Amino acid sequence: MGEKSKPRGHGTSRRKNATTQRDAHVAAGGDLHQVAGGKRPALTTNQGTTISDNQNSLRANTKGPTLLEDFVLREKIMHFDHERIPERIVHARGTGVHGFFELTTSLERYTTAKILTEVGEKTPLFARFSTVAGGAGSVDTPRDVRGFAVKFYTKEGNWDLVGNNVPVFFIQDAIKFPDLVHAVKMEPDRGFPQSASAHDTFWDYISLTPESMHMVMWIMSDRTIPRSLRMIEGFGVHSFRLIDRKGASTFVKFHWRPKLGLQSTLWDEAVKIAGADPDFHRRDMFEAVTAGNPPEWELAVQLFTQEQADEFPFDHLDATKLIPEELVPLQVIGRMVLDRWPNNFFAETEQVAFCPANIVPGIDFSNDPLLQGRLFSYLDTQLSRLGSANFHQIPINAPKCPFANQQRDGHMQMTQPVGRVAYEPNSLSPDSPREAASGGFASAAIPETGDKSRIRAESFADHYSQARQFYLSQTPYEQAHLASALVFELSKLEHLHIREAMVGHLRNIDEDLAARVAAGLALTPLPTAPAPAAPVQKFDPSPALQIIGKMKDTLAGRAVGILIADGSDGKAIEKIRKAAKAAGATVKVVAPKVGRVELAGGSVAAVDGQLAGTPSVMFDAVAIVLSDAGAKTLSKESAAIAFVADAFVHLKAIAVDAGGQVLLRKAGVKPDAGVVDCADVKGFITAAKTRQWEREKSVRMLA
Ligand code: HDD
């Protein structure tokens, strides 16, 4: 009992000292918290005064007013009132994990950065994955780009690689960022939609911003509805420079590739997951990391010279372009392992402050105008978010190498510098920090000439060629999803002219895509395409841009659900559980009641999830193991019917025994190659490792 619910007598208890009050509380059945001589430390105020009563405020008498002098109450409530800090203007909802980076191949030829040259060195890091548009309390599975930010605590200072799970961006110049974000966020008069791009202001802005067309292809693909944060790629997006010992520089792009392979959900699945578990991705990461299954990524680089860049049929300094792997191959140089969940969400995940300007000697920026604007924005935003210029002293943000300078004072100063000197150079303090004659950060010495002006380079004018290349590189299934996503999003618009403008742009990407989307919107005749600012080039398809081709043939990191009820066959359950676990999956048993299930023969099975709260969208494949009686009962339960029907329309493998067949029929499932008899465990595991893509045309009308 936490509350001191009983009044302590009339007129006597408030005169008791702290010890006797506690005695009275215990006598009344309260919890003493073992303050005196116990294992727990005493509860104190922030000034260190031990608190004797944390349940009752100080009152003039038993039924009288609360007294202003109650410093315990005032301090506690004051702190509580200020617990929230402004959430990030974008990327507010995120999931953070600690881990390390291990270099496997040295880039010594190209850079002096120790993190990229000391093979075998393990650099601690903190990674934060996020959605972009929604607030901190929004769901995990909207259609949205995922932020992929990594803070490496290197021996030479913090290096932040603040990227996304998509290698390109909407806009070419940072000056457009506030408009883009205002357009995608909830509309200012009505305050919705939260965390969704399917509304007028977003598509209005996009339709007037042809440079966003390549990004539109990516966000309408299944990349933006990932199955798990452990199954996304990451990209530094911009070109950076590596600088060698002699000061010569090489361009570099950074890529993260997940060991578990790429995997996405289907749109209908993502929508249902949002209802079933709004924290789906955060929970998935938490469960994997705390169960000792740390997710892992390879870090790969694309290295190229200015001379090579001059030959590219696009400008690599334009963040709406990528460099196809076929043009500049990826070289794997290391791995990132995320193996430690933070102690405290607020202290770490919320207070972490990333900044693309955080780099170390041997790495430098390129002239990408989007990157250049970002170099200002992040440092600036932390001032209003974290409230002080000393935010770098918060443990999650502080470098793990020594750092020292003559910056002083400010809100929440945590350090106590000694001595009379707070400037550099000085002659009075021989031990104070000095600038380093060598080994410090030096920018690449790049000559710059030309007229100062507000102008966009001609080489940034081609907005459709890579959008076209992306679309044509996809498998037919992915093309259908992309076209259907466009139909869905544009169908939500109130303004017909925006729909028409968008379909006009699509005609410059691919006529077939435009026709499919127009048909899905019943839009005739086809709207006119805007004149492209530069001719559309016909690039070869790049299969590396697909998701399906990058899915791994594995159940590792995936989940299998087994639906059972009273009377189910225990042996069949065990066979499936064993095989799925051996293939690397986690297995959960789902049943109508969470307590227990009595199996055939009288044994009892433990249940992980109650049917109504554990729909099949939580799993990558399912097994239905039911007695005839169990199947009959569940045939009257809509959650059970939906469990099977959804697994089928979400293209999942289904193992089913004779009893389960009844439920399948009730759910309208027409068995195909992905519906396997429970006895064929091997067949089920094989089918479970992929989606049943062929099934889709029989269950969904796609554009
Ligand atoms: Fe940004 C946060 C990624 C363009 C301004 N951005 C933020 C985060 C990620 C990115 C992953 C969340 C970091 C975290 O987990 O705390 N942003 C990108 C990428 C971009 C990009 C990959 C383009 C290639 N961003 C961009 C521009 C601007 C910003 C052009 C402004 C000119 N971004 C911000 C910000 C945020 C931010 C407002 C919000 C919270 C924060 O920085 O710390 O400053």
Side-chain angles (χ1 to χ4, degrees):
M1 185 174 114
E3 283 297 310
K4 294 180 181 179
S5 54
K6 290 190 183 168
R8 296 190 200 92
H10 296 276
T12 51
S13 68
R14 68 189 145 98
R15 284 194 295 277
K16 285 180 182 167
N17 64 28
T19 314
T20 51
Q21 278 189 10
R22 278 205 301 276
D23 292 347
H25 176 43
V26 173
D31 174 12
L32 180 58
H33 293 309
Q34 302 175 351
V35 174
K39 276 180 260 151
R40 301 186 194 189
L43 187 73
T44 73
T45 67
N46 287 333
Q47 305 303 321
T49 305
T50 300
I51 295 170
S52 59
D53 184 341
N54 191 36
Q55 321 302 329
N56 299 289
S57 47
L58 185 66
R59 305 179 70 183
N61 59 58
T62 314
K63 295 189 177 178
T66 302
L67 300 181
L68 187 61
E69 74 173 67
D70 188 351
F71 63 91
V72 177
L73 170 75
R74 278 189 290 113
E75 183 198 79
K76 186 174 175 184
I77 299 293
M78 178 281 289
H79 198 278
F80 171 76
D81 287 347
H82 300 274
E83 273 177 7
R84 287 292 161 274
I85 59 173
E87 64 177 38
R88 292 164 175 83
I89 166 66
V90 281
H91 297 267
R93 177 157 182 95
T95 293
V97 196
H98 291 276
F100 64 86
F101 171 70
E102 183 180 5
L103 189 74
T104 49
T105 303
S106 172
L107 290 181
E108 207 169 11
R109 259 181 70 199
Y110 307 97
T111 179
T112 57
K114 288 195 171 130
I115 183 170
L116 299 179
T117 55
E118 295 185 341
V119 171
E121 181 73 19
K122 285 187 178 169
T123 303
L125 59 80
F126 188 74
R128 184 174 179 275
F129 305 96
S130 46
T131 51
V132 179
S138 56
V139 298
D140 271 346
T141 54
R143 176 177 295 284
D144 201 353
V145 182
R146 297 304 186 280
F148 195 124
V150 181
K151 186 183 284 294
F152 301 88
Y153 304 96
T154 88
K155 290 196 268 188
E156 300 177 293
N158 287 353
W159 172 36
D160 292 1
L161 191 55
V162 194
N164 280 339
N165 76 327
V166 168
V168 291
F169 203 64
F170 292 95
I171 47 172
Q172 297 172 322
D173 191 312
I175 201 167
K176 287 166 166 268
F177 191 68
D179 297 300
L180 167 72
V181 173
H182 289 172
V184 73
K185 284 261 176 187
M186 55 192 186
E187 297 185 13
D189 58 346
R190 57 209 67 188
F192 61 82
Q194 169 76 279
S195 199
S197 53
H199 59 118
D200 286 70
T201 60
F202 175 70
W203 287 103
D204 184 28
Y205 181 78
I206 292 297
S207 69
L208 297 168
T209 310
E211 72 206 54
S212 64
M213 290 309 143
H214 187 194
M215 183 70 168
V216 164
M217 293 295 103
W218 283 83
I219 60 170
M220 292 298 109
S221 81
D222 293 346
R223 295 247 178 183
T224 47
I225 42 171
R227 153 71 177 85
S228 161
L229 297 172
R230 299 173 293 135
M231 299 169 200
I232 58 174
E233 291 185 332
F235 303 90
V237 181
H238 315 281
S239 297
F240 290 85
R241 286 177 187 272
L242 297 181
I243 309 177
D244 71 11
R245 239 176 244 110
K246 293 186 183 142
S249 74
T250 308
F251 286 116
V252 59
K253 284 210 185 239
F254 295 102
H255 298 245
W256 293 109
R257 299 203 302 199
K259 203 174 154 197
L260 292 173
L262 267 180
Q263 194 173 319
S264 288
T265 56
L266 302 173
W267 175 238
D268 182 64
E269 199 183 2
V271 168
K272 287 175 175 159
I273 292 172
D277 185 0
D279 306 301
F280 186 67
H281 283 153
R282 190 179 287 172
R283 191 189 310 277
D284 168 87
M285 184 66 88
F286 174 82
E287 286 179 352
V289 173
T290 55
N293 298 318
E296 196 173 322
W297 282 260
E298 285 175 344
L299 179 65
V301 289
Q302 284 177 301
L303 298 168
F304 55 100
T305 60
Q306 180 67 59
E307 292 67 38
Q308 281 174 288
D310 292 341
E311 298 299 314
F312 293 161
F314 51 82
D315 195 327
H316 74 103
L317 296 178
D318 169 358
T320 69
K321 305 294 184 296
L322 56 80
I323 305 179
E325 291 179 30
E326 292 78 6
L327 193 58
V328 179
L330 264 60
Q331 302 177 36
V332 176
I333 59 159
R335 65 185 192 120
M336 169 171 77
V337 179
L338 299 181
D339 59 357
R340 184 163 66 83
W341 192 257
N343 290 326
N344 184 273
F345 182 86
F346 180 85
E348 299 166 87
T349 307
E350 192 59 15
Q351 291 199 116
V352 66
F354 291 94
C355 180
N358 292 350
I359 46 169
V360 291
I363 307 178
D364 201 0
F365 315 115
S366 70
N367 282 354
D368 176 337
L370 195 72
L371 173 61
Q372 294 282 321
R374 294 180 73 196
L375 301 180
F376 162 73
S377 182
Y378 291 68
L379 193 57
D380 184 54
T381 210
Q382 309 310 347
L383 280 182
S384 56
R385 225 167 60 70
L386 298 165
S388 156
N390 291 315
F391 69 85
H392 62 281
Q393 296 178 7
I394 299 171
I396 194 71
N397 294 324
K400 295 196 193 299
C401 63
F403 62 104
N405 56 46
Q406 303 292 13
Q407 292 168 24
R408 291 289 183 271
D409 309 342
H411 278 294
M412 304 295 163
Q413 177 55 253
M414 298 293 157
T415 63
Q416 296 175 23
V418 289
R420 65 195 293 190
V421 164
Y423 53 89
E424 195 272 350
N426 69 68
S427 65
L428 301 182
S429 174
D431 297 334
S432 65
R434 300 283 161 92
E435 62 190 22
S438 66
F441 179 80
S443 301
I446 307 296
E448 300 289 355
T449 55
D451 298 339
K452 184 159 78 178
S453 62
R454 292 186 184 274
I455 195 162
R456 197 97 49 100
E458 273 300 312
S459 54
F460 278 37
D462 177 4
H463 303 319
Y464 299 106
S465 304
Q466 285 206 348
R468 176 187 164 78
Q469 181 183 34
F470 180 83
Y471 179 69
L472 295 179
S473 299
Q474 305 302 305
T475 61
Y477 306 118
E478 290 166 301
Q479 287 183 339
H481 289 184
L482 196 158
S484 302
L486 276 161
V487 170
F488 171 83
E489 296 262 324
L490 299 178
S491 76
K492 294 277 180 183
L493 307 186
E494 290 164 17
H495 292 87
L496 180 63
H497 75 272
I498 305 176
R499 255 183 231 159
E500 288 173 340
M502 274 314 304
V503 175
H505 284 297
L506 297 180
R507 295 190 67 182
N508 284 339
I509 296 171
D510 181 63
E511 282 289 357
D512 176 53
L513 170 64
R516 286 166 91 161
V517 175
L521 294 166
L523 198 66
T524 47
L526 265 186
T528 323
V536 182
Q537 306 176 70
K538 306 239 155 103
F539 296 140
D540 289 339
S542 164
L545 303 178
Q546 296 168 8
I547 302 173
I548 291 183
K550 284 185 166 175
M551 236 174 118
K552 287 229 165 116
D553 191 20
T554 177
L555 266 188
R558 274 72 176 176
V560 171
I562 310 179
L563 177 61
I564 67 169
D566 283 339
S568 288
D569 177 356
K571 277 197 193 121
I573 299 169
E574 269 328 295
K575 266 171 80 179
I576 289 169
R577 190 206 299 271
K578 232 173 114 186
K581 277 195 160 175
T586 51
V587 179
K588 284 193 176 154
V589 169
V590 180
K593 290 182 189 163
V594 79
R596 52 185 249 147
V597 162
E598 214 165 285
L599 301 175
S603 61
V604 167
V607 179
D608 304 297
Q610 198 232 340
L611 176 56
T614 320
S616 61
V617 289
M618 303 282 108
F619 306 108
D620 296 280
V622 298
I624 317 295
V625 184
L626 296 172
S627 64
D628 290 345
K632 214 170 148 196
T633 313
L634 288 193
S635 293
K636 293 187 204 118
E637 168 56 58
S638 66
I641 298 165
F643 190 95
V644 175
D646 274 349
F648 189 70
V649 301
H650 297 149
L651 316 184
K652 291 170 185 172
I654 304 177
V656 59
D657 67 354
Q661 291 287 359
V662 177
L663 191 59
L664 255 64
R665 277 195 294 278
K666 181 78 185 181
V669 167
K670 291 209 178 78
D672 59 17
V675 180
V676 184
D677 193 283
C678 264
D680 181 10
V681 177
K682 229 171 132 190
F684 172 60
I685 298 297
T686 307
K689 289 180 181 173
T690 180
R691 296 241 184 196
Q692 309 301 309
W693 299 111
E694 269 305 296
R695 186 188 293 161
E696 187 153 42
K697 54 182 180 294
S698 67
V699 296
R700 192 166 292 120
M701 276 168 50
L702 288 167

